[in-house]
Amino acid sequence: MLNSRAEAFAPATVANLGVGFDILGLAIAGSGDTIIAEWADEPGVHIAGIEGDGGKLPLDPKRNVASIAAAALLKQLEVAQGVKLYLKKGLPLSSGLGSSAASAVAAVVAVNALLGEPLTRPELLPACLEGEAAVSGYHADNVAPCLFGGITLTNGITADRIRSLPVPRGLYLAFITPHIEVPTSTARAVLPVHVPLKAMVQQTGAVAELIDALYRGDIPTMARAMESDNVIEPARQHLMPYMADMRAIAKQQGAYGLVISGAGPTLCAVCDDEAVARRVAQALREGYAARGMGSYSRYGGVLAEGSRAVVFS
Ligand code: HSE
Protein backbone atom coordinates (compact mmCIF):
# COMPACT_ATOMS: atom_id res chain seq x y z
CA MET A 1 0.00 0.00 0.00
CA LEU A 2 1.34 3.43 -0.91
CA ASN A 3 1.62 6.01 1.86
CA SER A 4 1.42 9.78 1.40
CA ARG A 5 4.46 10.57 3.53
CA ALA A 6 7.22 8.68 5.36
CA GLU A 7 9.89 9.85 7.77
CA ALA A 8 13.01 7.82 8.53
CA PHE A 9 15.78 8.24 11.06
CA ALA A 10 19.23 6.74 10.47
CA PRO A 11 21.88 6.68 13.20
CA ALA A 12 25.46 7.84 13.35
CA THR A 13 27.97 5.02 12.99
CA VAL A 14 31.58 4.27 13.89
CA ALA A 15 33.43 2.49 11.10
CA ASN A 16 36.60 0.39 11.52
CA LEU A 17 36.55 0.08 15.35
CA GLY A 18 40.27 0.80 15.09
CA VAL A 19 41.75 -2.37 13.63
CA GLY A 20 38.83 -3.48 11.45
CA PHE A 21 39.44 -1.14 8.52
CA ASP A 22 36.50 -1.25 6.08
CA ILE A 23 35.03 -4.39 7.73
CA LEU A 24 33.75 -3.47 11.22
CA GLY A 25 31.26 -0.85 12.39
CA LEU A 26 28.64 -0.04 14.98
CA ALA A 27 25.51 2.11 15.30
CA ILE A 28 25.40 4.82 17.96
CA ALA A 29 22.27 5.58 19.96
CA GLY A 30 21.13 9.20 19.93
CA SER A 31 22.53 11.04 16.92
CA GLY A 32 21.56 10.72 13.28
CA ASP A 33 19.93 12.11 10.14
CA THR A 34 16.21 12.28 9.35
CA ILE A 35 14.59 12.22 5.92
CA ILE A 36 10.98 12.89 5.01
CA ALA A 37 9.83 11.44 1.69
CA GLU A 38 6.72 12.49 -0.22
CA TRP A 39 5.43 11.91 -3.73
CA ALA A 40 6.36 14.49 -6.37
CA ASP A 41 4.44 15.57 -9.46
CA GLU A 42 7.57 15.31 -11.63
CA PRO A 43 9.39 11.98 -12.19
CA GLY A 44 12.77 11.40 -10.55
CA VAL A 45 14.05 12.27 -7.09
CA HIS A 46 14.06 15.90 -5.93
CA ILE A 47 15.68 17.52 -2.93
CA ALA A 48 12.94 19.76 -1.55
CA GLY A 49 15.01 21.11 1.32
CA ILE A 50 18.00 20.53 3.57
CA GLU A 51 18.48 21.87 7.07
CA GLY A 52 21.35 21.50 9.51
CA ASP A 53 24.13 21.39 6.91
CA GLY A 54 25.11 25.05 6.97
CA GLY A 55 24.26 25.26 3.26
CA LYS A 56 27.10 22.89 2.34
CA LEU A 57 25.25 19.95 0.80
CA PRO A 58 24.24 19.98 -2.88
CA LEU A 59 20.56 20.38 -3.76
CA ASP A 60 21.36 18.89 -7.17
CA PRO A 61 19.83 15.37 -6.94
CA LYS A 62 22.63 13.93 -9.07
CA ARG A 63 25.22 15.01 -6.47
CA ASN A 64 23.40 14.42 -3.18
CA VAL A 65 23.91 10.99 -1.55
CA ALA A 66 20.32 10.86 -0.29
CA SER A 67 18.76 11.40 -3.71
CA ILE A 68 21.31 9.14 -5.44
CA ALA A 69 20.38 6.33 -3.01
CA ALA A 70 16.63 7.00 -3.34
CA ALA A 71 16.93 7.02 -7.14
CA ALA A 72 18.74 3.66 -7.02
CA LEU A 73 15.84 2.23 -5.01
CA LEU A 74 13.20 3.57 -7.43
CA LYS A 75 15.20 2.08 -10.31
CA GLN A 76 15.53 -1.29 -8.52
CA LEU A 77 11.74 -1.34 -8.03
CA GLU A 78 10.96 0.11 -11.47
CA VAL A 79 8.88 2.90 -9.90
CA ALA A 80 8.20 5.69 -12.40
CA GLN A 81 6.57 8.18 -10.05
CA GLY A 82 8.75 10.94 -8.65
CA VAL A 83 9.68 11.50 -5.01
CA LYS A 84 10.79 14.57 -3.07
CA LEU A 85 13.03 14.45 -0.04
CA TYR A 86 13.49 16.81 2.91
CA LEU A 87 16.78 16.20 4.69
CA LYS A 88 17.39 17.14 8.32
CA LYS A 89 21.10 16.72 9.00
CA GLY A 90 21.76 15.76 12.58
CA LEU A 91 25.37 14.78 11.88
CA PRO A 92 28.33 16.98 11.04
CA LEU A 93 29.80 16.49 7.54
CA SER A 94 33.19 14.81 6.99
CA SER A 95 33.45 14.06 10.70
CA GLY A 96 33.90 10.29 10.91
CA LEU A 97 30.39 9.63 12.19
CA GLY A 98 28.98 8.11 9.01
CA SER A 99 27.15 11.23 7.92
CA SER A 100 26.85 10.26 4.24
CA ALA A 101 25.80 6.69 5.10
CA ALA A 102 23.10 8.04 7.45
CA SER A 103 21.67 10.27 4.70
CA ALA A 104 21.73 7.44 2.14
CA VAL A 105 20.15 4.91 4.51
CA ALA A 106 17.50 7.32 5.81
CA ALA A 107 16.52 8.17 2.21
CA VAL A 108 16.20 4.52 1.18
CA VAL A 109 14.31 3.49 4.32
CA ALA A 110 11.97 6.49 3.95
CA VAL A 111 11.21 5.82 0.29
CA ASN A 112 10.72 2.09 0.94
CA ALA A 113 8.24 3.05 3.68
CA LEU A 114 6.50 5.50 1.33
CA LEU A 115 6.03 2.59 -1.08
CA GLY A 116 4.51 0.41 1.67
CA GLU A 117 7.73 -1.52 2.45
CA PRO A 118 8.03 -3.71 -0.66
CA LEU A 119 11.62 -4.62 0.21
CA THR A 120 13.13 -6.27 3.28
CA ARG A 121 16.02 -4.69 5.18
CA PRO A 122 18.75 -6.76 3.43
CA GLU A 123 17.20 -5.95 0.04
CA LEU A 124 17.69 -2.24 0.75
CA LEU A 125 21.48 -2.59 1.03
CA PRO A 126 22.40 -2.12 -2.69
CA ALA A 127 20.52 1.20 -2.98
CA CYS A 128 22.08 2.49 0.27
CA LEU A 129 25.53 1.58 -1.04
CA GLU A 130 24.90 3.47 -4.29
CA GLY A 131 24.45 6.67 -2.28
CA GLU A 132 27.43 6.06 0.00
CA ALA A 133 29.65 5.14 -2.97
CA ALA A 134 29.06 8.56 -4.49
CA VAL A 135 31.23 10.12 -1.76
CA SER A 136 33.42 7.39 -0.32
CA GLY A 137 33.48 4.30 -2.53
CA TYR A 138 31.89 0.90 -2.16
CA HIS A 139 32.44 -0.18 1.42
CA ALA A 140 29.61 -1.05 3.79
CA ASP A 141 31.21 -0.56 7.20
CA ASN A 142 29.04 2.51 7.92
CA VAL A 143 25.99 1.57 5.84
CA ALA A 144 25.59 -1.92 7.39
CA PRO A 145 25.36 -0.88 11.09
CA CYS A 146 23.29 2.15 10.06
CA LEU A 147 20.76 -0.08 8.27
CA PHE A 148 20.82 -3.13 10.56
CA GLY A 149 21.95 -1.68 13.92
CA GLY A 150 24.33 -3.14 16.50
CA ILE A 151 27.92 -4.11 15.71
CA THR A 152 28.46 -5.52 12.24
CA LEU A 153 31.14 -7.39 10.35
CA THR A 154 30.96 -6.59 6.62
CA ASN A 155 33.22 -8.91 4.70
CA GLY A 156 31.87 -7.75 1.35
CA ILE A 157 29.15 -5.49 0.01
CA THR A 158 26.28 -7.95 -0.25
CA ALA A 159 23.86 -8.70 2.58
CA ASP A 160 24.95 -12.35 2.82
CA ARG A 161 28.47 -11.16 3.78
CA ILE A 162 27.24 -9.08 6.73
CA ARG A 163 27.18 -10.59 10.22
CA SER A 164 25.77 -9.15 13.40
CA LEU A 165 28.26 -9.36 16.30
CA PRO A 166 27.41 -9.35 20.01
CA VAL A 167 27.38 -6.03 21.89
CA PRO A 168 29.15 -6.31 25.27
CA ARG A 169 26.90 -5.49 28.19
CA GLY A 170 27.64 -2.05 29.64
CA LEU A 171 29.48 -0.77 26.54
CA TYR A 172 29.34 3.03 26.29
CA LEU A 173 31.27 5.23 23.93
CA ALA A 174 32.42 8.83 24.29
CA PHE A 175 32.98 10.94 21.18
CA ILE A 176 34.81 14.14 20.52
CA THR A 177 34.53 15.91 17.17
CA PRO A 178 37.00 18.78 16.76
CA HIS A 179 35.76 21.63 14.61
CA ILE A 180 37.64 20.64 11.47
CA GLU A 181 36.55 18.57 8.48
CA VAL A 182 38.56 15.61 7.20
CA PRO A 183 37.04 14.38 3.92
CA THR A 184 37.11 10.60 3.62
CA SER A 185 38.94 10.94 0.31
CA THR A 186 41.77 12.83 2.08
CA ALA A 187 41.95 10.26 4.88
CA ARG A 188 42.07 7.41 2.36
CA ALA A 189 44.67 9.10 0.18
CA VAL A 190 47.27 8.93 3.00
CA LEU A 191 46.97 5.16 3.46
CA PRO A 192 49.76 2.79 2.41
CA VAL A 193 49.23 0.79 -0.77
CA HIS A 194 51.30 -2.13 0.50
CA VAL A 195 51.41 -3.55 4.04
CA PRO A 196 54.38 -5.60 5.30
CA LEU A 197 53.65 -9.21 6.17
CA LYS A 198 54.50 -8.60 9.86
CA ALA A 199 51.96 -5.77 10.05
CA MET A 200 49.36 -7.94 8.34
CA VAL A 201 49.86 -10.69 10.93
CA GLN A 202 49.56 -8.21 13.82
CA GLN A 203 46.46 -6.61 12.32
CA THR A 204 44.62 -9.89 11.65
CA GLY A 205 45.55 -11.06 15.16
CA ALA A 206 44.09 -7.89 16.65
CA VAL A 207 40.85 -8.22 14.65
CA ALA A 208 40.48 -11.82 15.80
CA GLU A 209 41.15 -10.78 19.41
CA LEU A 210 38.56 -8.00 19.11
CA ILE A 211 35.87 -10.34 17.80
CA ASP A 212 36.64 -12.88 20.51
CA ALA A 213 36.37 -10.09 23.13
CA LEU A 214 32.96 -9.09 21.74
CA TYR A 215 31.73 -12.67 22.11
CA ARG A 216 33.04 -12.81 25.67
CA GLY A 217 31.70 -9.35 26.58
CA ASP A 218 35.22 -8.31 27.59
CA ILE A 219 35.34 -4.50 27.15
CA PRO A 220 38.97 -3.94 28.34
CA THR A 221 40.30 -6.50 25.83
CA MET A 222 37.98 -5.15 23.15
CA ALA A 223 39.44 -1.66 23.65
CA ARG A 224 43.03 -2.91 23.66
CA ALA A 225 42.47 -4.85 20.44
CA MET A 226 40.81 -1.81 18.80
CA GLU A 227 43.84 0.32 19.71
CA SER A 228 46.28 -2.25 18.23
CA ASP A 229 45.84 -0.86 14.72
CA ASN A 230 49.36 -0.53 13.35
CA VAL A 231 48.43 0.16 9.74
CA ILE A 232 45.68 2.77 9.44
CA GLU A 233 46.10 4.89 12.60
CA PRO A 234 49.83 5.59 12.10
CA ALA A 235 49.09 6.79 8.55
CA ARG A 236 46.15 9.00 9.55
CA GLN A 237 47.16 10.21 12.98
CA HIS A 238 48.60 13.50 11.69
CA LEU A 239 45.12 14.44 10.40
CA MET A 240 43.63 14.10 13.92
CA PRO A 241 44.62 17.09 16.08
CA TYR A 242 46.20 16.20 19.44
CA MET A 243 45.19 12.55 19.17
CA ALA A 244 47.86 11.31 21.60
CA ASP A 245 46.80 13.93 24.17
CA MET A 246 43.13 12.97 23.75
CA ARG A 247 43.95 9.29 24.24
CA ALA A 248 45.80 10.10 27.46
CA ILE A 249 42.93 12.31 28.72
CA ALA A 250 40.33 9.63 27.95
CA LYS A 251 42.30 7.00 29.84
CA GLN A 252 42.89 9.32 32.81
CA GLN A 253 39.10 9.64 33.04
CA GLY A 254 38.49 5.90 32.98
CA ALA A 255 38.18 4.93 29.30
CA TYR A 256 39.85 1.67 28.26
CA GLY A 257 40.98 2.97 24.89
CA LEU A 258 40.49 5.58 22.18
CA VAL A 259 40.51 5.19 18.41
CA ILE A 260 39.74 7.22 15.31
CA SER A 261 36.04 6.97 14.48
CA GLY A 262 35.84 5.97 10.80
CA ALA A 263 38.07 8.25 8.77
CA GLY A 264 38.08 10.90 11.55
CA PRO A 265 38.46 13.53 12.87
CA THR A 266 35.99 12.29 15.51
CA LEU A 267 37.71 10.22 18.18
CA CYS A 268 35.87 7.42 19.97
CA ALA A 269 36.68 6.35 23.53
CA VAL A 270 35.60 2.93 24.82
CA CYS A 271 34.03 2.83 28.30
CA ASP A 272 32.10 0.31 30.38
CA ASP A 273 29.78 2.71 32.16
CA GLU A 274 27.51 5.58 31.07
CA ALA A 275 28.74 7.96 33.79
CA VAL A 276 32.36 7.31 32.77
CA ALA A 277 31.52 7.96 29.10
CA ARG A 278 29.85 11.26 30.04
CA ARG A 279 32.90 12.29 32.08
CA VAL A 280 35.30 11.27 29.30
CA ALA A 281 33.32 13.21 26.67
CA GLN A 282 33.41 16.34 28.82
CA ALA A 283 37.13 15.98 29.59
CA LEU A 284 37.91 15.58 25.88
CA ARG A 285 35.98 18.77 25.06
CA GLU A 286 37.86 20.61 27.79
CA GLY A 287 41.10 19.12 26.45
CA TYR A 288 40.50 20.61 23.01
CA ALA A 289 39.37 23.93 24.52
CA ALA A 290 42.62 24.11 26.52
CA ARG A 291 44.48 23.69 23.20
CA GLY A 292 42.49 26.47 21.52
CA MET A 293 40.18 24.22 19.51
CA GLY A 294 36.40 24.09 19.50
CA SER A 295 34.79 20.66 19.54
CA TYR A 296 31.48 18.89 19.97
CA SER A 297 31.18 15.99 22.38
CA ARG A 298 28.60 13.23 22.70
CA TYR A 299 28.33 9.86 24.38
CA GLY A 300 26.02 6.89 24.14
CA GLY A 301 25.54 3.17 23.88
CA VAL A 302 25.25 1.00 20.80
CA LEU A 303 21.90 1.28 19.01
CA ALA A 304 20.55 -2.26 18.70
CA GLU A 305 18.13 -1.51 15.88
CA GLY A 306 19.14 0.34 12.74
CA SER A 307 17.28 2.97 10.74
CA ARG A 308 13.53 3.17 11.41
CA ALA A 309 10.62 4.79 9.59
CA VAL A 310 7.20 6.09 10.51
CA VAL A 311 4.54 6.49 7.82
CA PHE A 312 1.55 8.78 7.29
CA SER A 313 -1.14 7.14 5.14
N1 HSE B 1 36.34 2.54 6.49
C1 HSE B 1 36.27 3.87 5.98
C2 HSE B 1 37.59 4.55 6.16
C3 HSE B 1 35.18 4.62 6.70
O1 HSE B 1 38.15 4.46 7.25
O2 HSE B 1 38.07 5.18 5.22
C4 HSE B 1 34.94 6.00 6.16
O3 HSE B 1 34.09 5.97 5.08
Side-chain angles (χ1 to χ4, degrees):
M1 190 192 74
L2 298 186
N3 293 297
S4 63
R5 189 166 183 259
E7 178 172 329
F9 171 83
T13 47
V14 177
N16 302 338
L17 308 188
V19 283
F21 178 69
D22 276 1
I23 59 168
L24 293 174
L26 60 78
I28 309 164
S31 312
D33 285 359
T34 300
I35 286 199
I36 296 165
E38 293 177 344
W39 296 110
D41 296 331
E42 304 290 318
V45 180
H46 311 271
I47 302 285
I50 307 177
E51 60 183 76
D53 67 326
K56 290 182 182 165
L57 287 175
L59 288 160
D60 176 356
K62 290 196 168 50
R63 293 176 48 231
N64 187 294
V65 297
S67 40
I68 293 170
L73 182 70
L74 293 183
K75 189 173 172 203
Q76 185 179 344
L77 290 168
E78 299 181 355
V79 173
Q81 194 174 344
V83 165
K84 55 186 173 185
L85 304 177
Y86 299 85
L87 173 54
K88 295 184 201 171
K89 282 304 291 179
L91 298 177
L93 312 179
S94 300
S95 66
L97 288 168
S99 166
S100 56
S103 291
V105 170
V108 168
V109 170
V111 172
N112 190 49
L114 189 68
L115 290 161
E117 306 225 336
L119 295 187
T120 63
R121 219 20 89 112
E123 288 169 340
L124 298 179
L125 184 69
C128 298
L129 281 173
E130 284 301 319
E132 169 78 325
V135 289
S136 59
Y138 283 96
H139 51 93
D141 51 345
N142 287 111
V143 162
C146 189
L147 184 61
F148 301 114
I151 304 179
T152 52
L153 166 66
T154 60
N155 194 21
I157 56 166
T158 50
D160 62 319
R161 306 306 302 276
I162 294 170
R163 286 283 174 271
S164 181
L165 297 173
V167 179
R169 208 182 165 86
L171 177 63
Y172 280 88
L173 304 161
F175 299 94
I176 190 73
T177 309
H179 288 165
I180 57 160
E181 287 186 9
V182 176
T184 301
S185 53
T186 306
R188 290 179 87 84
V190 300
L191 298 179
V193 176
H194 301 287
V195 174
L197 186 64
K198 192 172 166 218
M200 190 277 281
V201 172
Q202 287 171 350
Q203 199 83 348
T204 49
V207 172
E209 186 175 47
L210 168 54
I211 290 174
D212 174 64
L214 293 179
Y215 274 94
R216 292 186 298 99
D218 179 347
I219 295 172
T221 304
M222 171 194 176
R224 192 190 64 217
M226 286 169 71
E227 276 196 345
S228 306
D229 167 20
N230 62 356
V231 176
I232 307 300
E233 183 183 305
R236 284 181 169 169
Q237 194 170 16
H238 67 284
L239 300 172
M240 317 298 150
Y242 302 109
M243 182 168 173
D245 291 4
M246 295 302 132
R247 178 169 276 158
I249 290 170
K251 289 185 176 176
Q252 274 159 17
Q253 295 299 324
Y256 287 106
L258 176 139
V259 294
I260 301 167
S261 177
T266 295
L267 304 175
C268 167
V270 181
C271 310
D272 65 356
D273 182 274
E274 187 172 15
V276 172
R278 188 187 321 123
R279 193 170 72 217
V280 169
Q282 187 182 336
L284 291 171
R285 189 154 40 80
E286 289 168 1
Y288 271 126
R291 289 160 182 78
M293 283 196 79
S295 63
Y296 184 86
S297 65
R298 64 190 91 210
Y299 66 92
V302 174
L303 181 70
E305 70 272 15
S307 177
R308 283 291 170 271
V310 287
V311 293
F312 306 86
S313 53

mmCIF file of all heavy atoms in Angstrom, residues 15-16 21-22 132 136 139 141-142 184 188 236 262-263, ligand 1:
data_model
loop_
_atom_site.group_PDB
_atom_site.id
_atom_site.type_symbol
_atom_site.label_atom_id
_atom_site.label_comp_id
_atom_site.label_asym_id
_atom_site.label_seq_id
_atom_site.Cartn_x
_atom_site.Cartn_y
_atom_site.Cartn_z
ATOM 1 N N ALA A 15 32.835 3.514 11.961
ATOM 2 C CA ALA A 15 33.432 2.489 11.097
ATOM 3 C C ALA A 15 34.815 2.119 11.625
ATOM 4 O O ALA A 15 35.449 2.886 12.348
ATOM 5 C CB ALA A 15 33.554 3.011 9.670
ATOM 6 N N ASN A 16 35.250 0.935 11.264
ATOM 7 C CA ASN A 16 36.601 0.394 11.516
ATOM 8 C C ASN A 16 36.779 -0.196 12.916
ATOM 9 O O ASN A 16 37.428 -1.204 13.085
ATOM 10 C CB ASN A 16 37.713 1.433 11.289
ATOM 11 C CG ASN A 16 37.711 1.999 9.888
ATOM 12 O OD1 ASN A 16 37.182 1.385 8.973
ATOM 13 N ND2 ASN A 16 38.287 3.186 9.723
ATOM 14 N N PHE A 21 39.590 -2.089 9.623
ATOM 15 C CA PHE A 21 39.439 -1.138 8.517
ATOM 16 C C PHE A 21 38.533 -1.685 7.416
ATOM 17 O O PHE A 21 38.776 -2.769 6.877
ATOM 18 C CB PHE A 21 40.822 -0.805 7.937
ATOM 19 C CG PHE A 21 40.783 0.138 6.767
ATOM 20 C CD1 PHE A 21 40.427 1.464 6.940
ATOM 21 C CD2 PHE A 21 41.090 -0.309 5.499
ATOM 22 C CE1 PHE A 21 40.387 2.337 5.869
ATOM 23 C CE2 PHE A 21 41.051 0.551 4.415
ATOM 24 C CZ PHE A 21 40.696 1.876 4.603
ATOM 25 N N ASP A 22 37.471 -0.943 7.154
ATOM 26 C CA ASP A 22 36.504 -1.247 6.083
ATOM 27 C C ASP A 22 35.667 -2.505 6.337
ATOM 28 O O ASP A 22 34.898 -2.901 5.454
ATOM 29 C CB ASP A 22 37.186 -1.372 4.699
ATOM 30 C CG ASP A 22 37.393 -0.011 4.026
ATOM 31 O OD1 ASP A 22 37.036 1.020 4.618
ATOM 32 O OD2 ASP A 22 37.908 0.001 2.884
ATOM 33 N N GLU A 132 26.165 5.960 -0.728
ATOM 34 C CA GLU A 132 27.432 6.063 0.004
ATOM 35 C C GLU A 132 28.624 6.078 -0.964
ATOM 36 O O GLU A 132 29.580 6.846 -0.787
ATOM 37 C CB GLU A 132 27.547 4.885 0.986
ATOM 38 C CG GLU A 132 28.895 4.687 1.647
ATOM 39 C CD GLU A 132 29.168 5.642 2.790
ATOM 40 O OE1 GLU A 132 28.739 6.798 2.714
ATOM 41 O OE2 GLU A 132 29.836 5.218 3.753
ATOM 42 N N SER A 136 32.251 8.052 -0.912
ATOM 43 C CA SER A 136 33.419 7.388 -0.316
ATOM 44 C C SER A 136 33.662 5.971 -0.808
ATOM 45 O O SER A 136 34.328 5.201 -0.125
ATOM 46 C CB SER A 136 33.331 7.431 1.209
ATOM 47 O OG SER A 136 32.182 6.801 1.667
ATOM 48 N N HIS A 139 32.141 0.613 0.227
ATOM 49 C CA HIS A 139 32.440 -0.178 1.422
ATOM 50 C C HIS A 139 31.263 0.024 2.366
ATOM 51 O O HIS A 139 30.686 1.109 2.473
ATOM 52 C CB HIS A 139 33.777 0.192 2.059
ATOM 53 C CG HIS A 139 33.945 1.656 2.290
ATOM 54 N ND1 HIS A 139 33.609 2.250 3.468
ATOM 55 C CD2 HIS A 139 34.388 2.632 1.481
ATOM 56 C CE1 HIS A 139 33.851 3.547 3.369
ATOM 57 N NE2 HIS A 139 34.318 3.801 2.175
ATOM 58 N N ASP A 141 30.992 -0.532 5.751
ATOM 59 C CA ASP A 141 31.212 -0.565 7.201
ATOM 60 C C ASP A 141 30.444 0.510 7.958
ATOM 61 O O ASP A 141 30.241 0.377 9.171
ATOM 62 C CB ASP A 141 32.709 -0.549 7.552
ATOM 63 C CG ASP A 141 33.498 0.553 6.882
ATOM 64 O OD1 ASP A 141 32.997 1.155 5.922
ATOM 65 O OD2 ASP A 141 34.621 0.806 7.324
ATOM 66 N N ASN A 142 29.993 1.584 7.296
ATOM 67 C CA ASN A 142 29.043 2.514 7.915
ATOM 68 C C ASN A 142 27.598 2.144 7.572
ATOM 69 O O ASN A 142 26.717 2.152 8.437
ATOM 70 C CB ASN A 142 29.285 3.958 7.449
ATOM 71 C CG ASN A 142 30.520 4.587 8.045
ATOM 72 O OD1 ASN A 142 31.490 4.826 7.332
ATOM 73 N ND2 ASN A 142 30.511 4.858 9.335
ATOM 74 N N THR A 184 36.691 12.006 3.682
ATOM 75 C CA THR A 184 37.106 10.601 3.621
ATOM 76 C C THR A 184 38.163 10.400 2.530
ATOM 77 O O THR A 184 39.118 9.636 2.714
ATOM 78 C CB THR A 184 35.875 9.707 3.364
ATOM 79 O OG1 THR A 184 34.956 9.915 4.424
ATOM 80 C CG2 THR A 184 36.250 8.240 3.319
ATOM 81 N N ARG A 188 41.720 8.653 3.069
ATOM 82 C CA ARG A 188 42.068 7.406 2.359
ATOM 83 C C ARG A 188 43.315 7.596 1.497
ATOM 84 O O ARG A 188 44.063 6.640 1.268
ATOM 85 C CB ARG A 188 40.889 6.911 1.513
ATOM 86 C CG ARG A 188 39.738 6.396 2.365
ATOM 87 C CD ARG A 188 38.561 5.914 1.538
ATOM 88 N NE ARG A 188 38.638 4.531 1.129
ATOM 89 C CZ ARG A 188 38.276 3.476 1.858
ATOM 90 N NH1 ARG A 188 37.816 3.650 3.073
ATOM 91 N NH2 ARG A 188 38.366 2.256 1.383
ATOM 92 N N ARG A 236 47.139 7.919 9.489
ATOM 93 C CA ARG A 236 46.146 8.996 9.554
ATOM 94 C C ARG A 236 46.311 9.922 10.751
ATOM 95 O O ARG A 236 45.674 10.975 10.799
ATOM 96 C CB ARG A 236 44.739 8.385 9.634
ATOM 97 C CG ARG A 236 44.244 7.856 8.337
ATOM 98 C CD ARG A 236 42.830 7.298 8.489
ATOM 99 N NE ARG A 236 42.258 7.020 7.183
ATOM 100 C CZ ARG A 236 41.133 6.348 6.988
ATOM 101 N NH1 ARG A 236 40.457 5.892 8.033
ATOM 102 N NH2 ARG A 236 40.678 6.154 5.778
ATOM 103 N N GLY A 262 35.843 5.958 12.274
ATOM 104 C CA GLY A 262 35.844 5.973 10.804
ATOM 105 C C GLY A 262 37.111 6.618 10.287
ATOM 106 O O GLY A 262 38.218 6.317 10.730
ATOM 107 N N ALA A 263 36.922 7.565 9.354
ATOM 108 C CA ALA A 263 38.073 8.251 8.766
ATOM 109 C C ALA A 263 38.428 9.518 9.545
ATOM 110 O O ALA A 263 39.262 10.301 9.111
ATOM 111 C CB ALA A 263 37.762 8.593 7.313
HETATM 112 N N1 HSE B 1 36.336 2.544 6.494
HETATM 113 C C1 HSE B 1 36.266 3.865 5.980
HETATM 114 C C2 HSE B 1 37.594 4.550 6.161
HETATM 115 C C3 HSE B 1 35.184 4.618 6.703
HETATM 116 O O1 HSE B 1 38.146 4.457 7.251
HETATM 117 O O2 HSE B 1 38.069 5.180 5.218
HETATM 118 C C4 HSE B 1 34.944 5.999 6.164
HETATM 119 O O3 HSE B 1 34.091 5.969 5.080
#
